[in-house]
Structure formats: C-alpha cells, structure tokens
C-alpha cells in the first residue's frame, strides 16, 4: 500500500444535499457533472456515497449490499461507472451496529466489510461513530480495527475518520486515518461555517501530508437548499468565499456538498478557482496558522517560497481595512513583497512593511505574497 492523501482529499459527498435519498441515477448524473463541468480537472476526484446506500439487512452471507431499489445494478457497477470516468469511489459506513441513519453498519464485521468494499473498488471510506460503544477508549479500538482491516485488503483506500470529538486529532492517525472530523455536522449558515472552520485554527501540529484535520464538508452554493441547507437556512456569496478560503488555508479536505448539477457561475468561480485550490493542495501540507494569535488573519507557507494570507472581515455590516505586518510572516520589514489577489487573479503590486486591504462584510481577502 502506498502512502495516501499526500495533499488534502477533494471531491463531492452526497449528504449535505441528498441526505439518504440517493440512487443510481442521481449518482451517475453527479459523476457526469463532476467530469463535464471541470470539477475533476480542478482536483475534485472522489465521489462519496454517504449514508443510505445500503440495504436494510445484510445478505445470507452476512455481507452488506446496496439497497436494490436504489441501486439495482449493485455497488460494484457504481464503482465501475466512476472509475471509467477517472473518478474515485467513496463510500460510508460506521463503527457501530447501525449508521447514523439506522442502516446496518460494520461493528463486528470490520474485516468482511473492508474486503467487500475493496472488491467493489472503493477508494475512500468515511467511517462514522453512531450506535457505537461510548467511553473507555472503545472508539480508538474500533477505528483501529477498521484501519487494520483496510490495510490488509491491500487496496489503496483513504480512511476518513468521522468522529467529531476533541480527542480525534490525537489518535486518528495511529488508527490509520488520513483525515478526521473535528466537530458535529456543519450547517448552511455563517454561524456554523465560522464555528467549525475557525475552531480548527490551532490544530496545525496534527496536519501534514497524509493526515488532515477535517472541519466537515463544504456548504458552498447551497443557499438554503437541500438537507443541510434547510437546517442552516443558507449563507451569502461573501460568506461562501470566506468558507472556501478558510478551508484552503486550513489544508482541509474539500468535499463539495451542494447540488453540483445546478451550479451558478458565481459559485463555480469560487469552487473552481485554481489559484485558491493550489494553496489547499500545496505539497508542503502546512495548515495555516493565526498571525499574531488572531484567528481572522491566517498565513500558510507554500513550497515555492510564497506565503498565502487570508484576512477575514468578522463584521456582518461594515467594510473593514485589514492590515498585516510582513515581519510577522517571516519577511524582513524592509523587504519588497509582491502581492497577488487570488480571487481575481490580479497582481496588486509591491508592498513594504505591511499590506492593508479593504474587505466587505463576512468576506475575505485571499492573497499570495512572494519576494520575487
Ligand atoms: C453523521 C455525519 C454526517 C453524515 C451523517 C449520515 O451525522 O457527521 O456527515 O455522514 O451522519 O447519517
């Protein structure tokens, strides 16, 4: 097995929009959109079927199988459809007796399920922790069991630990996890986005190539629609821009969650911004840190000698002029630094000592600073 997830995993997950209402036709149309509308080319390569794909009971051999009404062709056929188009196949299970939505899960069947997933061509497993034993370190033991079972399949399967407790970053890597959830579920609102996103600031010691803090999937472009959209009620375009910059700066996995078959141009401009994605996917794999302890000013050192900077305006009402001192980023105060605006793909010129930018309410400046 080779080392996986050297940069943060990217893709699409069905949960935020569809909840358990997924089927063969929906998955195929999402896969087609990923390929035809440029998402795959931009790096979003994994299509993950979240909860609700499975039959309510295991088969006569104790194996999981796809709900025949939703997936009449079976799960391997879904994997084949994705692989034929250059996509990776992500699937969901849970360490307890049932998934969070009450379907059969992997407790006591870890080896069999890992083998079944490998046979179907699964490339990514999101593994949840509902209906599972609490306390006494049982969570760590159960995540280790699935991690071990996945490695023993010999197939390259990225392991996404979906247990949003504060301890996860400290043990999930030893359980074989490539990424780990930090909190409960994100909702489609600025309150939720900023809570889970800025809550990840400070966890940079745990992140690096092969291992990523996961503040949950993206709600960009949901605008209050779909399952999680209705829970949060929706955010605005400035807030979605900040959401994306924040996840890029955190080196967080980027899993879209809106109905990507129907995406407006202004949303595509965010999600398909290659310069922003390059910050997220930078091979150094450093998670952005709070400059001078202020979590609304993040900096992320990049492999080419540049530094990405994101400055977030916390105000919902006023524009703000946000400054950043070059010396706090590792430059000398008399250096001449070139500044590029990653949103608009524009060079803003050279600066000395400090950079200040005007930022709209709940929006952010997303910049790259280089000395040459
Ligand atoms: C939990 C997870 C979600 C989703 C659902 C599925 O709530 O945190 O991301 O996978 O379960 O039931």
């Amino acid at each position: 097995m080779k080392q996986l997830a050297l940069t943060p995993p990217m893709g699409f997950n069905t949960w935020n929009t569809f909840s358990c209402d997924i089927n063969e036709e929906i998955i195929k149309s999402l896969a087609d959109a990923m390929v035809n509308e440029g998402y795959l080319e931009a790096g979003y390569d994994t299509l993950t079927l979240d909860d609700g794909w499975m039959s309510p009971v295991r088969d006569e051999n104790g194996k999981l199988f796809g709900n025949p009404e939703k997936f009449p062709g079976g799960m391997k056929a879904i994997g084949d459809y994705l692989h034929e188009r250059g996509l990776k196949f992500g699937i969901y299970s849970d360490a307890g007796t049932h998934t969070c939505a009450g379907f059969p899960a992997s407790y006591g069947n870890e080896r069999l399920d890992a083998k079944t997933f490998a046979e179907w061509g699964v490339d990514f497993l999101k593994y949840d922790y509902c209906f599972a034993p609490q306390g006494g370190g049982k969570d760590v033991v159960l995540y280790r069991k699935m991690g071990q079972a996945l490695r023993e399949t010999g197939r390259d399967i990225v392991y996404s630990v979906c247990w949003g407790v504060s301890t996860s970053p400290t043990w999930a890597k030893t359980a074989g996890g490539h990424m780990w959830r930090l909190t409960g579920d994100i909702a489609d609102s600025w309150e939720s986005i900023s809570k889970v996103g800025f809550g990840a600031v400070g966890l940079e010691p745990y992140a690096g190539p092969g291992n990523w803090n996961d503040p949950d999937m993206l709600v960009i472009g949901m605008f209050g629609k779909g399952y999680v959209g209705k829970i949060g009620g929706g955010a605005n375009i400035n807030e979605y821009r900040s959401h994306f910059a924040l996840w890029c700066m955190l080196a967080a996995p980027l899993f879209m969650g809106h109905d990507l078959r129907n995406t407006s141009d202004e949303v595509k401009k965010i999600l398909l911004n290659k310069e922003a994605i390059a910050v997220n996917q930078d091979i150094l794999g450093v998670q952005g840190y709070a400059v001078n302890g202020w979590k609304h000013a993040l900096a992320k050192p990049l492999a080419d000698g540049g530094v990405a900077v994101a400055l977030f305006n916390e105000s919902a009402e006023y524009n703000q002029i946000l400054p950043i001192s070059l010396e706090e980023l590792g430059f000398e105060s008399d250096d001449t630094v070139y500044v590029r605006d990653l949103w608009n793909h524009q060079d803003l010129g050279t600066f000395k000592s400090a950079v200040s930018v005007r930022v709209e309410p709940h929006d952010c400046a997303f910049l790259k600073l280089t000395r040459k």
Side-chain angles (χ1 to χ4, degrees), residues 15 50-51 92 99-101 126 128 130 162 181 185 216-217:
W15 184 254
D50 206 287
D51 210 344
Y92 168 95
T99 68
C100 297
K126 173 175 170 181
D128 215 330
C130 283
C162 180
R181 273 279 290 279
D185 294 7
D216 206 356
M217 301 168 295

Side-chain angles (χ1 to χ4, degrees), residues 40-266:
L40 173 60
E41 201 209 325
Y44 299 92
D45 62 4
T46 302
L47 199 169
T48 299
L49 281 65
D50 206 287
D51 210 344
W53 59 265
M54 53 299 265
S55 166
V57 287
R58 288 176 178 263
D59 75 6
E60 62 280 10
N61 302 313
K63 277 175 106 175
L64 290 173
F65 65 108
N67 181 324
E69 278 166 27
K70 297 176 177 176
F71 296 97
M75 303 317 287
K76 181 163 185 315
I78 293 292
D80 292 346
Y81 190 90
L82 298 175
H83 293 148
E84 279 157 18
R85 283 154 185 80
L87 292 164
K88 292 183 176 159
F89 181 16
I91 212 163
Y92 168 95
S93 188
D94 180 294
T97 53
H98 296 84
T99 68
C100 297
F103 292 97
S106 298
Y107 185 83
N109 288 293
E110 291 84 356
R111 285 189 184 154
L112 175 62
D113 291 356
K115 195 164 162 276
T116 306
F117 297 149
E119 282 164 10
W120 293 344
V122 164
D123 306 295
F124 179 101
L125 174 67
K126 173 175 170 181
Y127 202 52
D128 215 330
Y129 204 73
C130 283
F131 300 102
Q134 303 291 318
K138 302 246 178 45
D139 48 0
V140 184
V141 171
L142 289 175
Y143 275 102
R144 286 214 170 104
K145 278 193 188 185
M146 183 49 95
Q148 180 66 25
L150 289 173
R151 281 196 311 283
E152 287 179 4
T153 67
R155 187 171 170 85
D156 292 338
I157 301 177
V158 171
Y159 186 25
S160 163
V161 170
C162 180
W163 181 215
V165 287
S166 60
T167 56
S168 294
T170 65
W171 55 260
K173 177 177 174 176
T174 68
H178 298 101
M179 52 190 267
W180 41 81
R181 273 279 290 279
L182 302 171
T183 63
D185 294 7
I186 195 169
D188 182 16
S189 68
W190 178 244
E191 194 193 354
S192 173
I193 294 166
S194 57
K195 184 165 164 241
V196 297
F198 290 113
V201 176
L203 295 175
E204 44 285 0
Y206 299 105
N211 305 99
W212 310 102
N213 291 307
D214 176 14
D216 206 356
M217 301 168 295
L218 305 172
V219 293
I220 295 167
M222 294 193 73
F223 294 111
K225 294 201 205 102
Y227 177 68
V228 162
K230 292 203 180 93
I231 296 172
N236 65 39
I237 198 76
N238 285 5
E239 294 166 340
Y240 289 140
R241 222 180 346 261
S242 291
H243 178 7
F244 197 61
L246 181 51
W247 265 237
C248 288
M249 292 298 283
L250 292 170
L254 299 176
F255 278 84
M256 301 178 290
H258 71 298
D259 187 346
L260 54 78
R261 301 169 302 181
N262 200 350
T263 312
S264 68
D265 286 345
E266 62 176 0

